[in-house]
Amino acid sequence: MGISHQDLAAAFQERGYQLWLVGGALRDRLLGIDSHDQDYATDADPGAVEALVRGLGATVTTVGKRFGTIGVRIQGHWSEITTFRGDSYAGGTRWPDVTFGASIEEDLARRDFTVNAFAEDAYTHRFLDLYGGQQDLAKRVIRAVGDPAARFREDPLRILRGIRFASQLDFGVEPATLAGMQQTVDLLPALSQERVTGELDKLLCGANPARGLEILRESGALGFVLPELASMVGCEQNRFHQLDVWGHSVATVRAIAVTPETVRLRRWAAVLHDVGKPAVRHVKANGEWGFYRHETAGAEIAAAMLDRLRLGRAESHAIVLLIRRHMDRPEPGDRRSVRRFMAKVPGHWRDLLALKRADNASHTYDDTEYHDRLEAACLRAEAEEQEALRAESPLTGDDLVRIFDREPGPWIRVIKDRLSALVLDGDLAPGDREGAERIARRMMNRPAP
């Protein structure tokens, strides 16, 4: 079962330590959001915290110990117990240095944003809101605690955290806080790529990622953390588009349909789908802007970018594939055309169709009817393919060994794949063994006896 929050509080109280529930759990409670994010602050130093929770038999991680944080597994979820932060916090580097304090008031003064600067005594349940966080929750704004520029200089990651919270909570950023971000964005290159990518990921998976992306642009952070996208801002398009490339990409992120399983993949694909346009923009003979093969250029740019971001090989590959194919326009009435469309994005035709629908959201024309027909054709093809796959090649590997009197090897897979493809295309009946043998003999240059 492990330890409970009550066990933890009792152990700290018995040893005379303060223990305060802080941050996200209290914010979420005030917003009516379910949360398992139960983090604590204490006057016990990290070594004492580690010894205490290990003594309770808890599962512990000490990855953040040098920053004053001990991770503890409580009731099936990870909680962090952090020693009070002091009144100096030398930052601006990849990993900021921390000094420890003695009081919860001193700790709250070092918090990043007012909506995270709540504390509740784990013993008496006394609630502290020293910086107007509840008012800012009601106003739906992100506001820095104290001097914004000072907070961001201490840890520039707070710039991205603030923008990420704006996306997750669908809040605005208070003007002085936005100004503080603009004054300090040049510190962002000092951060580790893992920290930056983690915040960008959370931003894109938020409740209002379009809002977060616009604040990323307004703050000046866009050119530092996603420089490949900066040239999209102000890149005018042709009469088929209502917005510039940046505005269109943000609109695509806003419009794309997602599920919890697809949100990360689809929103990254949406924001990057036209990243190649600025590089290939040219004036056509009719005087309009053209973007010939922007999907190919975009796939190349995105591949290098996602490698830099260290997003993950499998997901990056899928995102690049969706970008490369997002201009494909198969004829819904042509079975082969539809199957080729699906085959070019194995396992991701639904993601590609979602991207194509969202891509149409800010066009000056409506392509909904075409996409409806294409989706229906893909569903029909999928049902037919599932039926055909059950039959597979009319000839087995043993059949081919017997026919050609040859040792098994990779050649069998080549023939079976070809026969299966013909079955899928309707050019070979699943049970047509004679026809399959004729095709196999032609492939092996072995005429029938």
Side-chain angles (χ1 to χ4, degrees), residues 14-34:
E14 182 181 328
R15 289 161 179 78
Y17 292 124
Q18 297 180 52
L19 187 68
W20 295 80
L21 183 64
V22 292
L26 298 172
R27 179 195 66 233
D28 290 346
R29 183 204 299 170
L30 290 168
L31 290 172
I33 299 171
D34 288 335

Side-chain angles (χ1 to χ4, degrees), residues 179-191:
M181 291 176 174
Q182 293 166 339
Q183 293 169 33
T184 55
V185 285
D186 59 345
L187 298 175
L188 288 172
L191 298 171

Side-chain angles (χ1 to χ4, degrees), residues 37 112 123 171 185 192 199 204 225 246 279 281 321 332 349 356 394 402 404 406 412 417:
D37 186 20
D112 50 9
Y123 316 136
F171 281 17
V185 285
S192 71
E199 294 299 329
L204 281 174
V225 296
W246 170 256
R281 189 173 68 159
L321 193 59
W349 74 262
K356 289 175 70 63
R402 176 183 51 77
F404 295 108
R406 181 175 174 180
I412 291 177
D417 285 349

